[in-house]
Amino acid sequence: MTEKAPLFTPVQIGPRTAPNRMVINAMECCDALDNGDPGPKTLERYRNYFQGRAGVVFLEAITITAECIARKFQLSILPHNQKALERFTAELKRANPETIFIWQLSHAGELASSEFSRRMTPNPLPGYGGELMTEEDVARIIDEFVLSAKIAHDCGADGIDFKLCHGYLGSAMLRPHNNRKWKYGGPWENRVRFAYESYERITKEINDPDFLIGSKVSLWEGFPGGQGCAGPDTAIMDLREPLDLIKGLEERGAKFILVSAGSPSITLALVQPDRKVPDYGYLHHYFQKLVKDTVGPKTVVMGSAYSIFRDGKNSFQAVREEESSLTYWGNKNIREGVVDMVAIGRQSLADCHLPAKLMEGRESEINWCTACDQCIEFLIRQKPVGCAVYAKEYRESLKEIRKAEGRLKAKRT
């Protein structure tokens, strides 16, 4: 791989320039300290990402509230975290000042853990639930997003991702299932109000043209009433609403859209295609092209679900190995106007230094993700997340976790 390949050409994102078109997706890893500050493992991982020379690194879902969280050891962005986040950011910028650092601001909504947190929902999904949100709740949550965006700005982040994907609060507000009669539910103009009001407040109150704002968006969640569905009781795909959302975000200052799909707790294989049936990887290309055709030429479209292609040694059928790799599809899709940048998630856990190794012609040294999804097992179990295939520490940890669960099951029986 040479630097002349499309993946390794610079790209303008608002007033900033990413040195290449590789993106590290936001990957929650449950290794923050008790108070939500970055822990030693957090710092080590992100330092590796920065040394790996990706054009953009997204900070994993960082909660804007302490009352409604999905992970017990989740990063938080509250006033008491500011000093630690400033030190964290400065350390990473010293490791590599060229990489753009964007923080994914998140509110867990009904995906908050009921074991140690409050669940909130605009309209409960079957099997999920939570307290019904009020308009006063929404006003307070918007205030929390604005405050967190200000903290991110003051800590030296280059921008924020206002999270509108994967079943968290932003998704729940947008989906047709939010058909309750209230200010933020029912007709599309009500369901999109939360996202638009938040954007308007954030851009107005930060008022810094160098600070990027954008969103990761699930175009289709793949279950009845989800984002991108034709109504509250059907899973039939109708992408008019998510594409209208993206145009509205662009009008309100979005400089990038990270295209995703699915909700990990419900349609996991849609979010991160399964190695046994990987074909959703192609569907993501379709979603990326739709978004690229919707936005203006200055709005950067980032695409996810590229880890599944790895080095071409995968389970895709009816395709040549050399035309089925991450780099093949990344370069092709950038060249043909499908997407501007390519994001990796699971692959970044397998090898934080993938971009640097590709640029330096060290392909033989790459640890390619096997899509075993053991990393998601750590996440589900609320344990520190890493790659159990390539890192002995996490391999041993997974053995102990499974042994402990086996003992617990035996005791119950």
Side-chain angles (χ1 to χ4, degrees):
M1 182 63 58
T2 69
E3 288 191 295
K4 292 182 181 179
L7 274 169
F8 300 109
T9 57
V11 61
Q12 196 80 12
I13 310 175
R16 299 183 180 273
T17 301
N20 60 68
R21 297 173 184 243
M22 295 211 71
V23 176
I24 303 297
N25 248 323
M27 301 294 287
E28 289 183 89
C29 284
C30 300
D31 51 21
L33 302 181
D34 288 346
N35 68 348
D37 284 352
K41 289 183 183 295
T42 320
L43 177 59
E44 179 185 9
R45 181 159 37 89
Y46 282 92
R47 187 189 290 117
N48 280 327
Y49 287 149
F50 272 66
Q51 291 172 344
R53 296 168 58 196
V56 173
V57 170
F58 279 87
L59 181 65
E60 65 202 75
I62 184 167
T63 180
I64 55 105
T65 175
E67 71 170 355
C68 194
I69 59 175
R71 318 291 168 206
K72 192 172 183 179
F73 295 101
Q74 184 171 1
L75 290 173
S76 63
I77 183 164
L78 300 168
H80 73 263
N81 303 120
Q82 183 160 342
K83 292 295 183 184
L85 289 170
E86 286 175 359
R87 292 192 297 271
F88 175 69
T89 306
E91 176 73 18
L92 301 180
K93 292 289 187 178
R94 280 193 293 271
N96 176 5
E98 293 186 352
T99 290
I100 293 174
F101 197 22
I102 298 173
W103 297 11
Q104 186 183 80
L105 305 188
S106 181
H107 187 291
E110 67 183 351
L111 296 187
S113 174
S114 58
E115 292 182 14
F116 48 78
S117 183
R118 178 187 179 192
R119 278 185 165 176
M120 303 176 71
T121 178
N123 192 28
L125 283 173
Y128 288 82
E131 300 174 35
L132 276 183
M133 295 173 64
T134 66
E135 293 175 11
E136 290 73 23
D137 287 328
V138 176
R140 175 173 48 80
I141 290 167
I142 292 175
D143 285 343
E144 291 170 336
F145 268 108
V146 172
L147 175 60
S148 294
K150 288 178 177 177
I151 293 172
H153 176 268
D154 292 346
C155 287
D158 298 312
I160 60 152
D161 163 12
F162 184 83
K163 189 173 186 176
L164 297 171
C165 65
H166 297 175
Y168 294 86
L169 181 62
S171 288
M173 298 292 274
L174 290 166
R175 59 172 65 125
H177 182 74
N178 177 19
N179 60 355
R180 182 175 136 226
K181 292 182 179 179
W182 67 312
K183 181 180 178 181
Y184 296 95
W188 173 239
E189 59 267 25
N190 287 353
R191 287 183 279 125
V192 78
R193 183 175 282 152
F194 169 68
Y196 288 173
E197 288 182 355
S198 298
Y199 258 69
E200 289 163 1
R201 283 276 311 280
I202 290 168
T203 54
K204 179 182 177 181
E205 297 194 28
I206 291 183
N207 193 28
D208 180 353
D210 290 334
F211 190 70
L212 306 176
I213 184 169
S215 286
K216 189 173 187 177
V217 179
S218 286
L219 253 67
W220 180 58
E221 286 190 288
F223 60 84
Q227 281 177 273
C229 291
D233 57 357
T234 179
I236 291 174
M237 192 186 297
D238 183 342
L239 301 182
R240 287 176 293 180
E241 286 184 353
L243 294 177
D244 186 68
L245 163 73
I246 286 162
K247 286 190 289 187
L249 297 179
E250 185 180 46
E251 290 167 0
R252 289 163 176 80
K255 297 297 187 288
F256 68 88
I257 298 293
L258 177 47
V259 184
S260 190
S263 177
S265 61
I266 302 170
T267 50
L268 178 61
L270 180 55
V271 180
Q272 48 184 61
D274 187 280
R275 65 178 173 181
K276 293 180 181 177
V277 187
D279 309 330
Y280 276 139
Y282 297 137
L283 185 59
H284 278 260
H285 297 172
Y286 169 67
F287 293 149
Q288 292 158 23
K289 185 64 166 67
L290 286 177
V291 174
K292 183 66 178 164
D293 289 345
T294 296
V295 300
K298 293 184 178 180
T299 301
V300 170
V301 177
M302 305 171 182
S304 52
Y306 282 88
S307 294
I308 192 65
F309 293 100
R310 42 180 286 136
D311 57 351
K313 295 180 173 64
N314 51 50
S315 53
F316 286 93
Q317 299 297 306
V319 64
R320 297 181 185 89
E321 184 178 299
E322 64 270 20
E323 296 178 351
S324 187
S325 69
L326 184 158
T327 53
Y328 173 83
W329 282 112
N331 285 320
K332 176 180 172 65
N333 286 349
I334 293 168
R335 189 181 296 115
E336 296 180 359
V338 173
V339 74
D340 297 302
M341 302 187 79
V342 167
I344 55 173
R346 289 170 290 178
Q347 177 60 55
S348 71
L349 296 177
D351 196 331
C352 296
H353 297 93
L354 174 77
K357 288 179 180 179
L358 286 172
M359 284 187 281
E360 295 164 8
R362 296 189 287 133
E363 289 94 334
S364 62
E365 299 176 22
I366 293 170
N367 294 328
W368 288 105
C369 174
T370 65
C372 66
D373 286 345
Q374 291 175 341
C375 50
I376 199 75
E377 186 174 345
F378 284 119
L379 190 65
I380 291 168
R381 298 175 190 274
Q382 300 276 347
K383 300 295 183 181
V385 177
C387 182
V389 174
Y390 295 109
K392 182 179 178 181
E393 172 188 357
Y394 291 100
R395 191 157 54 248
E396 295 301 319
S397 174
L398 189 59
K399 287 179 184 176
E400 291 304 313
I401 291 166
R402 289 173 174 173
K403 282 181 184 177
E405 183 162 300
R407 290 192 294 267
L408 185 60
K409 284 182 179 178
K411 188 175 182 180
R412 285 172 180 166
T413 56

